[in-house]
């Protein structure tokens, strides 16, 4: 069994879409990628962000449901036998936080062995820690709930402890995961995943034309302020800002400098952990480990927004005057949360 556990912001969704759409060629090479949750299968088919085919397995691990893990492993084992495959591929970024808790990896290995797997191989993909920290923050902050980056790194930057938890368990069990560096070189990430790790050719599929965009830091602060006042407007504001060409935006150098200094300090605090992973990475893919910054500049109070960005904000506010928008606002603020509560109350 080949288990890809992330990390986040290292092209996992792209690799999962390639694998899912290239299932036939993988099977021909002896690798079975079992079907995942229907929602994630739709995302992988459309080239969108997904949790891979192992989301439900990760949830079973997180809840310490060992019997369910064994059931899912047996289903994967049988799916491979039905297709005359010798290998099973499981992939989800949700696996790293789930497996980082004490004793979880040992239970995972035992359940896999009991289901009939002779060996389990793990892949961890890492990238420049500062760039990854900033990218993680932008991803978490896009719906307005992450707060300022200085607050988020204190409470929400969980990657280093998750990596430590997984690594220490692996060392205790004598497991050496495959660790590779993230690369933007065309075809480079695919080669490291399919050819170097799985030992198969990269599936030749027509990938959907997708973009994984992010907002500027100024836009994220604007969304945070909107979330504090009218949470239902976060989604339309996010979509409106996302539709603007990056060339028509101001990045805000002072705000970027503040965020990078905060991220650098957070990353440097875990220098020993990055060094431990560098011992597992190929020498030419080693992570840059920064020194703590001499000082962190204060967060500037001014936001960098162009006329185009301000027009998008004005359009969202102006649209509220229409009956259709008011109905949508009523749905997002009142009815959808009510229906979600009722569904949760009726769930077994």
């Amino acid at each position: 069994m080949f288990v890809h556990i992330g990390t986040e912001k290292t092209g996992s969704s792209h690799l999962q879409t390639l694998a899912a759409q290239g299932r036939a060629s993988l099977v021909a090479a002896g690798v079975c990628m079992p079907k995942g949750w229907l929602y994630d299968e739709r995302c992988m088919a459309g080239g969108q962000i997904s949790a891979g085919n192992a989301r439900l397995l990760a949830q079973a691990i997180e809840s310490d449901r060992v019997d369910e893990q064994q059931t899912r492993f047996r289903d994967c084992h049988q799916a491979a036998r039905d297709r005359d495959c010798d290998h099973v591929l499981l992939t989800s970024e949700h696996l790293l936080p789930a497996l980082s808790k004490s004793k979880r990896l040992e239970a995972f290995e035992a359940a896999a062995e009991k289901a009939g797997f002779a060996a389990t191989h793990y892949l961890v993909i890492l990238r420049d820690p500062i760039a990854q920290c900033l990218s993680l923050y932008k991803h978490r902050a896009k719906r307005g709930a992450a707060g300022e980056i200085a607050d988020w790194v204190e409470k929400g930057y969980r990657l280093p402890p998750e990596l430590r938890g997984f690594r220490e368990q692996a060392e205790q069990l004598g497991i050496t995961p495959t660790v590779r560096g993230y690369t933007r070189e065309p075809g480079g990430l695919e080669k490291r995943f399919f050819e170097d790790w799985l030992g198969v050719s990269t599936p030749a599929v027509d990938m959907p034309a997708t973009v994984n965009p992010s907002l500027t830091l100024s836009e994220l602060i604007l969304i945070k302020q909107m979330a504090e006042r009218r949470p239902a407007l976060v989604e339309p504001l996010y979509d409106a800002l996302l539709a603007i060409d990056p060339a028509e935006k101001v990045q805000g150098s002072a705000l970027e400098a503040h965020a990078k200094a905060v991220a650098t300090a957070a990353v440097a605090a875990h220098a020993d952990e990055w060094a431990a992973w560098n011992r597992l990475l190929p020498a030419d893919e080693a992570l840059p480990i920064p020194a703590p910054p001499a000082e962190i500049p204060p967060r500037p109070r001014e936001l960098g927004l162009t006329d185009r960005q301000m027009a998008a904000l004005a359009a969202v506010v102006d649209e509220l005057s229409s009956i259709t928008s008011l109905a949508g606002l009523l749905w997002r603020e009142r009815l959808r949360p009510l229906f979600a509560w009722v569904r949760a109350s009726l769930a077994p």
Side-chain angles (χ1 to χ4, degrees), residues 126-148:
L126 299 172
R127 65 182 284 189
D128 179 326
I130 296 177
Q132 188 170 26
C133 180
L134 288 168
S135 185
L136 280 169
Y137 169 69
K138 288 182 176 181
H139 181 68
R140 300 285 187 270
K142 66 183 182 181
R143 297 305 182 191
E148 300 281 353

Side-chain angles (χ1 to χ4, degrees), residues 21 50 78 82 85 100 117 121-122 128 148 155 167 171 190 229 236 240 247 249 276-277 290 307-308 343:
Q21 295 208 15
S50 77
Q78 187 60 49
D82 292 343
C85 292
S100 67
F117 288 100
H121 306 276
Y122 300 89
D128 179 326
E148 300 281 353
K155 304 172 184 177
R167 177 182 57 79
E171 290 173 352
E190 295 87 341
R229 292 164 174 80
K249 299 182 180 183
W277 286 94
D307 289 344
R308 183 69 183 82
R343 183 172 57 184

Side-chain angles (χ1 to χ4, degrees), residues 1-3 77 86-88 108-109 112-113 116-122:
M1 182 164 61
F2 287 77
V3 185
H77 194 277
D86 297 321
H87 304 88
V88 163
F108 184 87
E109 286 272 319
E113 184 178 358
F117 288 100
T120 304
H121 306 276
Y122 300 89

Side-chain angles (χ1 to χ4, degrees), residues 128-130 260-272 274 287-296:
D128 179 326
I130 296 177
K260 185 172 183 179
V262 170
T264 300
V267 166
H270 300 278
D272 60 333
W274 307 122
L287 305 172
I289 304 175
E295 63 177 4
I296 297 177

Side-chain angles (χ1 to χ4, degrees), residues 116-256:
F117 288 100
T120 304
H121 306 276
Y122 300 89
L123 174 67
V124 181
I125 299 178
L126 299 172
R127 65 182 284 189
D128 179 326
I130 296 177
Q132 188 170 26
C133 180
L134 288 168
S135 185
L136 280 169
Y137 169 69
K138 288 182 176 181
H139 181 68
R140 300 285 187 270
K142 66 183 182 181
R143 297 305 182 191
E148 300 281 353
I149 187 171
D151 297 325
W152 176 79
V153 295
E154 291 291 330
K155 304 172 184 177
Y157 183 45
R158 296 185 293 268
L159 178 60
E162 289 172 354
L163 286 169
R164 182 184 295 275
F166 176 80
R167 177 182 57 79
E168 290 180 345
Q169 290 180 80
E171 290 173 352
Q172 292 168 3
L173 296 171
I175 297 170
T176 302
T178 297
V179 186
R180 297 303 302 268
Y182 172 73
T183 176
R184 293 183 180 273
E185 180 183 347
L189 188 62
E190 295 87 341
K191 180 180 183 302
R192 293 175 185 182
F193 185 88
F194 291 101
E195 298 178 27
D196 298 348
W197 183 53
L198 284 177
V200 300
S201 299
T202 300
V205 298
D206 294 327
M207 290 289 289
T210 59
V211 180
N212 188 13
S214 63
L215 301 184
T216 68
L217 291 168
S218 293
E219 289 173 327
L220 292 174
I221 292 174
L222 183 62
I223 284 180
K224 170 183 171 292
Q225 293 175 351
M226 183 65 77
E228 293 170 350
R229 292 164 174 80
R230 297 301 297 265
L233 293 185
V234 168
E235 186 175 340
L237 177 59
Y238 172 81
D239 292 339
L241 294 172
L242 200 64
I244 301 174
D245 189 321
E248 297 186 68
K249 299 182 180 183
V250 174
Q251 294 300 322
S253 57
L255 197 54
E256 292 282 345

